[in-house]
Amino acid sequence: MYDPTVARLTYRALLGRRRALILGALPLLLIAISIVVRALAGADDQTASDLLGGLALATMVPIIGVIAGTGAIGPEIDDGSVVYLLSKPLKRPTIIFTKLIVAIAVTMVFSALPTFIAGYILNGNGQQIAVAYTVAALVASIAYAAIFLLLGTVSRHAVVFGLVYALVWEALFGSLVEGARTLSVQQWSLAVAQKVAGGDMVKSDVGLTTATVLLAVVTVLATWYAGQKLRSLTLAGEE
């Protein structure tokens, strides 16, 4: 289910000079803001939780997921180079699964690690806030990578749709509109973070069991459907 050659090519595409600069911009901004906030306000648990929840988990993680998930396959479909990949004796689910693993790894590195660093700067991991939001970022990275990889497979405008989802649904509706929170990856990952923190600093509107099930179902279904779409793309090309 995992092909090293496909993985190497995908890493090379995702971590090219221009895309790497884009991936690194938000994490650097988060860390810079954390340093300024710590210098001005000192170590405060509530401030740390608000910043990590509002900027890191609600904005940075989904945007990085968009870049990594859509970038893992979208450009190859757009420029037609995917045909060469599909001509190899590889099962289509293997291609999708390999690209998903790469997208997850890139999203985790560029989101979870900066989240932990920012959290440690803000309050030294008081009340396990830095660790809780890091775990949330890790969990969210998996679901986001799968969702945006699917978008990259089914649409030529995946980046636009992905950014709309990340900035409008997750960052806005997922934080403010009560009914939308149940269908938000952000809230699902917050449920995991709430369990890790164990206090009142991290809260979610979704129960842990429900969140875990939904994270797993969305990830599996998105990955499966992306494989099906890639299979139909191959058949269309052959016809």
Side-chain angles (χ1 to χ4, degrees):
M1 290 297 292
Y2 181 85
D3 186 82
T5 302
V6 174
R8 185 175 66 255
L9 294 174
T10 307
Y11 275 119
R12 184 181 301 172
L14 284 179
L15 300 178
R17 183 176 301 176
R18 186 177 63 177
R19 198 178 297 273
L21 289 175
I22 298 174
L23 284 169
L26 277 176
L28 289 176
L29 178 62
L30 172 66
I31 293 172
I33 292 175
S34 300
I35 293 172
V36 172
V37 170
R38 176 62 187 266
L40 296 176
D44 182 79
D45 294 341
Q46 188 61 58
T47 299
S49 182
D50 291 343
L51 183 59
L52 293 179
L55 180 57
L57 195 61
T59 304
M60 182 187 72
V61 180
I63 290 179
I64 290 177
V66 170
I67 298 171
T70 60
I73 195 169
E76 292 177 315
I77 294 178
D78 291 341
D79 62 21
S81 60
V82 71
V83 173
Y84 296 100
L85 181 62
L86 297 178
S87 65
K88 304 299 180 181
L90 291 171
K91 294 181 179 179
R92 305 305 174 248
T94 297
I95 295 173
I96 289 296
F97 183 77
T98 301
K99 289 183 173 294
L100 174 64
I101 294 299
V102 173
I104 289 172
V106 171
T107 306
M108 285 182 171
V109 169
F110 283 92
S111 61
L113 182 58
T115 297
F116 178 77
I117 294 173
Y120 200 83
I121 290 171
L122 287 166
N123 76 332
N125 195 36
Q127 298 197 52
Q128 293 292 305
I129 290 176
V131 171
Y133 278 102
T134 299
V135 172
L138 290 170
V139 171
S141 295
I142 299 173
Y144 283 134
I147 291 170
F148 297 129
L149 179 65
L150 171 61
L151 271 181
T153 307
V154 302
S155 174
R156 290 182 177 272
H157 306 289
V159 174
V160 175
F161 292 141
L163 288 175
V164 169
Y165 174 85
L167 296 177
V168 177
W169 184 265
E170 290 286 1
L172 185 59
F173 288 100
S175 300
L176 302 177
V177 182
E178 185 174 352
R181 295 174 184 173
T182 306
L183 299 177
S184 167
V185 175
Q186 175 193 348
Q187 291 296 323
W188 302 343
S189 58
L190 277 174
V192 180
Q194 183 178 20
K195 178 66 175 180
V196 175
D200 297 328
M201 288 292 102
V202 183
K203 297 180 181 179
S204 173
D205 293 327
V206 182
L208 179 61
T209 301
T210 301
T212 303
V213 171
L214 288 173
L215 283 167
V217 169
V218 166
T219 301
V220 171
L221 285 181
T223 305
W224 172 81
Y225 192 60
Q228 295 301 112
K229 293 300 293 184
L230 192 63
R231 191 189 304 274
S232 65
L233 177 66
T234 306
L235 293 176
E238 291 173 351
E239 292 172 357

